Structure formats: C-alpha cells, structure tokens
Amino acid sequence: MNESTEGFRPLLNEVFDQNSQVLMISLTTPEGLPIVLLSREDSGIEEITDISITNRYAALVGASTSLGDRTLSTLSQETVRLIHVQGESRDIAISMAEKVITLVITEPSGSANLLAEKLANALKIHM
C-alpha cells in the first residue's frame, strides 16, 4: 500500500475487526485501477499485492458497474450506486462513490451491502 492509501488503512482494519464475516475488501478507482486488496487469512489481514489478482478484482468491479449502469439506465435513466449478489457460499457487494468503488465479500448473511455502502461513505473523507 503506498503513502496515499495509508491514511485509510485503520478504517479498513476496523471493518475487519468489527465484522468477523468479512473475507475481503477491494478498493478501485472509478477508472478501474486497483487501489488496495485486503483479505482475511488464517494469519490475519493481509494485503494482496499480486498484480494479476488485483487486476482481476478491478476488472470484476468495472464489468459489474458497467453492466449495472447499462441495465438500470435502460429501465429508468438512473445510475447504479450499489450492486449486491447473494450466493450460497459468499455475499458480494459493490458500492460506487465519486472517488472510489468498494467491493466487500462476506460469508452468507454478512451484510456485505451495508458494509460496502458504509465503507464507501467513510472513505469519501479520506480520499
């Protein structure tokens, strides 16, 4: 994590500490560039720095938001602010804000959508 992102690291750690069901948090710029990817591992919270992995999550976020924007704008000329997918083994939420896109992956019923929205709002202050 570089110096510009170090300021919100305590906020991300707090989300992991207060929510044991959070498995991963990924932050991406609106342009699709990865900022940081943190994952809960057996040894604690680790930053994933493998470019291919961070780029894959950034691509997932970009594709999801683009598809969501096209779908919703077709229906009502609105823009997507939150995408929430509930799966059998994971819940995924992507929250879009002006300066950051937040992806949160939790265990089922981990309130991924609420955490992603709350985290995106809190990060507005730090970015």
Side-chain angles (χ1 to χ4, degrees), residues 25-101:
I25 296 174
S26 173
L27 303 181
T28 307
T29 68
E31 296 79 27
L33 301 173
I35 300 171
V36 66
L37 177 60
L38 298 176
S39 177
R40 184 183 305 274
E41 304 295 332
D42 293 335
S43 58
I45 308 308
E46 293 184 14
E47 180 178 359
I48 297 174
T49 56
D50 183 326
I51 298 295
S52 64
I53 294 172
T54 58
N55 284 344
R56 263 185 260 151
Y57 277 96
L60 169 67
V61 168
S64 298
T65 56
S66 175
L67 177 62
D69 278 332
R70 285 196 307 268
T71 302
L72 192 56
S73 66
T74 302
L75 298 173
S76 62
Q77 300 303 316
E78 298 291 331
T79 58
V80 170
R81 198 182 81 183
L82 179 71
I83 296 171
H84 185 205
V85 178
Q86 294 178 298
E88 282 187 35
S89 62
R90 301 285 184 263
D91 285 358
I92 301 169
I94 302 171
S95 179
M96 280 68 71
E98 185 177 320
K99 296 182 180 180
V100 66
I101 301 173

Side-chain angles (χ1 to χ4, degrees), residues 97-119:
E98 185 177 320
K99 296 182 180 180
V100 66
I101 301 173
T102 306
L103 174 134
V104 176
I105 300 175
T106 67
E107 294 174 354
S109 303
S111 301
N113 58 332
L114 298 175
L115 290 170
E117 190 74 17
K118 180 180 175 182
L119 186 55

Side-chain angles (χ1 to χ4, degrees), residues 8-27:
F8 54 77
R9 179 66 184 248
L11 177 62
L12 298 176
N13 286 336
E14 182 180 325
V15 171
F16 277 104
D17 290 343
Q18 293 180 356
N19 303 283
S20 62
Q21 292 183 312
V22 173
L23 302 174
M24 184 178 291
I25 296 174
S26 173
L27 303 181

Side-chain angles (χ1 to χ4, degrees), residues 1-12 123 126:
M1 190 178 315
N2 64 33
E3 294 171 11
S4 65
T5 60
E6 198 60 40
F8 54 77
R9 179 66 184 248
L11 177 62
L12 298 176
L123 286 170
H126 295 283

